[in-house]
């Protein structure tokens, strides 16, 4: 009996991205989102040690308005968990050594390292850390020597939980990243890019072009949409496409910042960012445009009509005729060019979307699309509204509670409260009368037994223990008070696949259809026509029979006339 060989597993050439598979717990050196409240999220890279040497005894620390959170308390925690703040000495930050080994400022009159309270490490030599950072160890703090680098590093102490403050630890997703990313430009929000990716048919294995990356909101969403597995060391297997996003950015600083973020997020294998002006230089990659082979396009540009001339299956030149419109020279196709210069997939239809805030941009874009042969052009505007659903509790028994309407729920409650207020007023005036020596005998004895407001609120809080608040009240829904206005217009278009005579012949050979004799010629016949013919032969369609007789009679007349001439 032979033992079967173990299955061959493909080894990815890169680590997985938290945007694609975050796992069940937070990992070191990966992105995590600290959720403080609904509209306040802080992205941070979790580090198990303090690379920047900020001087915290707990290692790497993220400070928020709700407290300080050492990364040692975040790593290994399950996503969605509530993490309490830690008691961190925030006054110790900034006590890192400089290039010459000086840490904390010395007092006047001190010499050498005496009286500084710190021991400065020596500058690393060749083969050690080249960054120039010098580890600083506080007096009385334990330290360890890194044998590989020869640098003395302080040992991190365990974090102590604070009395107040907490955050929720969330895994990174394109939706959360859109709400927490640093805004360098106007971003494409979730309602827009989710609809865009659906309309341009971005799916696993697709190749997508994005022009105008900006802050990277759409870039992360597109990377998740086209992801179809990581490349392996063994190379591509079969005909499976891995998916690719070709992103272009004109601004150099935004290009470098986005490149750094993509590398930190583990998306550098899926997303290829290029610093280029696509309106002027096109979308080619290192003189090989056919390497792109895109099927979906998204243009977030100030003038998208200038880039459309580079998104054709043949090169485009300007018409040198003098009688052109003021909008510019009308582009025309260069028939002598081959499809090898195009960045589009020659065997598939191309789906395009442009993102323009002004209607004048939309008009010029649509005009250019029509000239270049795009079809099914459509303009869409999205308006997102958030609905809030909750139970609304109304009544005087809700007085002093949060999120309720503490007004009378009925006329009886309002009358009872008015009587209580009047009775309290009578008691007050009766006390004044007794002080003046003229007692008021008109106040009933029951009015003097009323409880105070503090006692009434205390009774309401005590009664909460036996109430089921999730069942009380009326279920209502309302729109959010802030109405989000116009963001941009979305223009969609489709460029059909080029269909030649060879393609038609190949399709007929692969999917042969049935042919019938029509007159003296053999012509193809669709299934619908064959059903009608069968029904007419059975005598169930008189109208079709008359049409067939008329067609046969019109074809036989020239034949009879030709026979008589002979």
């Amino acid at each position: 009996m032979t033992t079967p060989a173990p299955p061959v597993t493909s080894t990815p050439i890169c680590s997985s991205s938290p945007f694609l598979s975050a796992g069940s717990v937070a990992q070191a050196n990966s992105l995590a989102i600290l959720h403080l409240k609904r509209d306040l999220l802080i992205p941070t890279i979790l580090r198990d040690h303090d690379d920047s040497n900020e001087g915290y005894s707990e290692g790497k620390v993220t400070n928020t308005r709700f407290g300080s959170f050492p990364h040692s308390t975040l790593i290994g925690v399950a996503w969605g968990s509530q993490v309490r703040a830690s008691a961190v000495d925030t006054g110790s930050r900034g006590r890192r050594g400089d290039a010459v080994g000086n840490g904390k400022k010395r007092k006047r009159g001190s010499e050498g390292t005496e009286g500084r309270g710190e021991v400065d490490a020596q500058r690393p030599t060749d083969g050690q850390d080249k960054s120039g950072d010098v580890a600083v160890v506080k007096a009385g703090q334990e330290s360890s020597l890194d044998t590989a680098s020869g640098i003395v590093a302080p040992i991190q102490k365990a974090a102590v939980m604070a009395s107040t403050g907490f955050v929720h630890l969330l895994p990174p997703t394109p939706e959360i990243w859109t709400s927490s990313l640093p805004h360098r430009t106007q971003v494409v929000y979730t309602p827009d890019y989710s609809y865009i990716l659906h309309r341009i048919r971005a799916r696993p294995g697709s190749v997508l072009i994005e022009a105008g990356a900006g802050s990277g909101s759409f870039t992360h969403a597109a990377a998740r949409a086209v992801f179809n597995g990581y490349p392996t060391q063994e190379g591509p297997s079969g005909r499976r496409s891995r998916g690719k996003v070709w992103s272009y950015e004109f601004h150099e600083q935004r290009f470098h910042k986005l490149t750094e973020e993509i590398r930190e997020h583990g998306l550098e294998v899926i997303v290829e960012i290029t610093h280029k002006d696509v309106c002027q230089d096109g979308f080619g990659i290192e003189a090989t445009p056919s390497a792109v082979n895109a099927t979906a396009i998204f243009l977030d540009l100030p003038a998208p009509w200038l880039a459309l001339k580079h998104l054709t299956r043949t090169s485009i030149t300007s018409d040198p005729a003098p009688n052109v419109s003021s909008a510019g020279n009308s582009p025309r196709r260069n028939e002598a060019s081959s499809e090898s210069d195009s960045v589009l997939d020659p065997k598939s239809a191309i789906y395009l979307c442009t993102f323009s805030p002004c209607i004048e941009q939309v008009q010029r874009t649509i005009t250019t699309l029509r000239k270049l042969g795009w079809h099914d052009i459509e303009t869409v505007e999205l308006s997102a509204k958030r609905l809030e659903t909750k139970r609304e509790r109304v009544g005087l028994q809700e007085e002093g509670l949060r999120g309720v309407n503490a007004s009378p729920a009925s006329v009886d409650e309002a009358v009872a409260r008015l009587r209580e207020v009047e009775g309290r007023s009578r008691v007050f005036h009766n006390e004044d009368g007794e002080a003046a020596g003229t007692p008021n005998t008109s106040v009933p004895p029951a009015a003097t037994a009323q409880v105070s407001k503090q006692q009434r609120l205390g009774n309401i809080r005590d009664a909460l223990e036996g109430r089921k608040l999730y069942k009380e009240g009326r279920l209502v829904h309302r729109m959010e008070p802030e109405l989000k206005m116009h963001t941009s217009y979305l223009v969609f278009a489709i460029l059909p696949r080029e269909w030649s005579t060879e393609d038609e012949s190949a399709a007929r050979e692969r999917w042969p259809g049935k042919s019938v004799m029509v007159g003296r010629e053999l012509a193809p016949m669709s299934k619908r026509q064959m059903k009608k013919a069968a029904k007419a032969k059975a005598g169930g369609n008189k109208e079709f029979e008359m049409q067939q007789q008329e067609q046969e009679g019109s074809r036989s007349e020239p034949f009879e006339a030709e026979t008589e001439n002979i």
Side-chain angles (χ1 to χ4, degrees):
M1 182 175 180
T2 60
T3 304
V8 179
T9 58
S10 300
T11 304
I13 61 176
C14 61
S15 59
S16 60
S17 170
F19 281 87
L20 305 175
S21 58
S24 59
V25 297
Q27 301 291 337
N29 302 322
S30 64
L31 179 66
I33 307 296
L34 302 184
H35 181 275
L36 280 70
K37 58 181 184 179
R38 174 179 173 182
D39 297 327
L40 183 57
L41 300 95
I42 299 178
T44 181
I45 302 294
L46 301 181
R47 303 295 186 187
D48 52 2
H49 58 280
D50 190 3
D51 292 333
S52 56
N53 194 17
E54 296 179 350
Y56 292 108
S57 301
E58 294 81 5
K60 186 67 175 179
V61 176
T62 297
N63 296 309
T64 68
R65 59 191 301 180
F66 295 152
S68 300
F69 298 88
H71 289 196
S72 58
T73 62
L74 303 176
I75 297 175
V77 178
W79 297 116
S81 301
Q82 184 186 92
V83 182
R84 293 287 299 271
S86 300
V88 176
D89 182 13
T90 56
S92 62
R93 58 183 173 181
R95 297 179 185 174
R96 55 180 179 271
D98 53 14
V100 297
N102 294 327
K104 186 178 178 181
K105 291 184 178 180
R106 292 180 296 172
K107 296 181 179 181
R108 181 177 298 178
S110 61
E111 296 180 0
T113 59
E114 299 178 357
R116 286 198 287 178
E118 297 176 353
V119 178
D120 300 338
Q122 300 294 329
R123 181 188 300 273
T125 59
D126 296 339
Q128 299 178 357
D129 188 14
K130 304 294 183 179
S131 60
D133 292 339
V134 180
V136 179
V137 182
K138 299 179 183 179
Q141 183 178 0
E142 296 182 359
S143 61
S144 61
L145 177 64
D146 189 352
T147 57
S149 60
I151 300 177
V152 179
I155 297 178
Q156 299 179 8
K157 69 177 185 180
V160 180
M161 184 180 299
S163 57
T164 59
F166 65 88
V167 296
H168 288 88
L169 187 65
L170 301 181
T173 62
E175 293 78 15
I176 297 178
W177 177 250
T178 300
S179 303
S180 60
L181 59 80
H183 286 217
R184 296 181 288 270
T185 58
Q186 180 183 1
V187 302
V188 182
Y189 289 96
T190 301
D192 289 323
Y193 68 63
S194 59
Y195 182 72
I196 292 170
L197 292 172
H198 168 70
R199 287 293 302 268
I200 64 178
R201 301 191 180 185
R203 49 196 172 187
S206 299
V207 179
L208 187 144
I209 288 178
E210 176 199 15
S215 300
S217 173
F218 184 85
T219 308
H220 288 75
R224 183 184 62 178
V226 305
F227 174 70
N228 196 28
Y230 290 102
T232 58
Q233 295 177 354
E234 291 76 9
S237 57
R239 301 174 58 185
R240 181 181 180 183
S241 177
R242 299 292 179 181
K244 190 74 173 181
V245 176
W246 298 91
S247 183
Y248 300 84
E249 175 57 46
F250 171 73
H251 195 272
E252 186 176 2
Q253 294 181 355
R254 292 197 293 264
F255 161 73
H256 290 297
K257 185 61 179 177
L258 183 58
T259 303
E260 180 182 357
E261 290 178 352
I262 293 297
R263 184 174 61 255
E264 291 179 349
H265 300 168
L267 298 173
E268 67 275 6
V269 179
I270 304 172
V271 180
E272 183 76 21
I273 306 178
T274 305
H275 178 222
K276 194 175 188 180
D277 183 6
V278 295
C279 296
Q280 183 68 26
D281 304 327
F283 297 85
I285 303 297
E286 297 181 357
T288 57
S290 59
V292 178
N293 211 27
T295 59
I297 303 169
F298 175 68
L299 302 180
D300 186 5
L301 302 173
W305 58 89
L306 298 179
L308 291 176
K309 61 184 178 181
H310 304 289
L311 296 174
T312 59
R313 292 191 172 90
T314 55
S315 62
I316 300 298
T317 59
S318 298
D319 191 353
N323 53 350
V324 294
S325 60
S326 59
N329 296 338
S330 59
R332 62 182 178 87
R333 297 176 184 267
N334 186 4
E335 301 297 341
S337 176
S338 62
E339 292 185 358
S340 61
D341 296 334
S342 175
V343 296
L344 306 182
D345 187 359
K347 298 182 180 180
S348 174
I350 310 302
Y351 296 86
L352 175 137
C353 175
T354 64
F355 189 85
S356 303
C358 301
I359 194 64
E360 292 79 9
Q361 297 172 308
V362 173
Q363 294 174 349
R364 298 192 64 176
T365 301
I366 292 177
T367 301
T368 307
L369 287 172
R370 289 173 177 171
K371 292 179 180 179
L372 296 177
W374 292 79
H375 298 275
D376 296 342
I377 302 174
E378 182 182 2
T379 303
V380 178
E381 181 184 12
L382 298 181
S383 179
K385 298 179 181 179
R386 181 177 299 171
L387 298 179
E388 181 183 7
T389 305
K390 66 177 182 179
R391 287 192 173 272
E392 185 179 55
R393 305 198 307 271
V394 183
L396 297 179
Q397 73 276 9
E398 311 293 344
E399 185 180 5
L401 304 181
R402 298 178 59 184
V404 298
N405 187 0
S407 58
S410 62
V411 177
D412 295 337
E413 285 190 2
V415 172
R417 178 54 59 89
L418 288 175
R419 288 176 178 175
E420 180 182 352
V421 173
E422 290 178 358
R424 191 180 297 110
S425 177
R426 290 176 183 177
V427 171
F428 175 78
H429 290 294
N430 182 34
E431 293 176 354
D432 290 346
E434 291 179 354
T438 57
N440 186 2
T441 59
S442 62
V443 178
T448 60
Q450 296 179 358
V451 297
S452 63
K453 182 178 181 180
Q454 289 76 10
Q455 293 176 347
R456 184 173 66 252
L457 296 179
N459 295 336
I460 292 175
R461 287 191 293 269
D462 295 340
L464 286 177
E465 298 179 359
R467 295 174 57 184
K468 297 181 179 180
L469 300 180
Y470 60 91
K471 290 185 177 181
E472 296 182 3
R474 182 179 58 178
L475 188 63
V476 297
H477 69 276
R478 296 188 180 91
M479 290 190 301
E480 58 182 344
E482 298 179 1
L483 180 60
K484 297 179 180 179
M485 303 303 292
H486 165 76
T487 55
S488 284
Y489 296 104
L490 306 177
V491 179
F492 297 95
I494 301 175
L495 183 63
R497 174 185 174 181
E498 296 288 345
W499 196 255
S500 61
T501 307
E502 292 77 8
D503 296 331
E504 181 69 21
S505 301
R508 289 187 180 277
E509 292 178 1
R510 184 173 182 181
W511 297 285
K514 294 184 178 181
S515 301
V516 296
M517 290 297 299
V518 180
R520 292 183 300 174
E521 298 179 356
L522 188 65
M525 201 172 190
S526 64
K527 290 185 178 180
R528 185 176 181 182
Q529 292 175 341
M530 294 173 63
K531 287 182 180 179
K532 285 186 176 181
K535 190 175 181 180
K537 184 179 294 186
N541 193 340
K542 300 298 182 182
E543 183 180 356
F544 183 78
E545 291 179 1
M546 295 176 62
Q547 293 178 359
Q548 290 291 105
Q549 292 176 1
E550 292 178 359
Q551 292 178 1
E552 292 177 358
S554 61
R555 293 191 185 95
S556 61
E557 288 178 359
F559 179 73
E560 293 176 356
E562 184 180 355
T563 305
E564 292 177 358
N565 294 333
I566 295 174

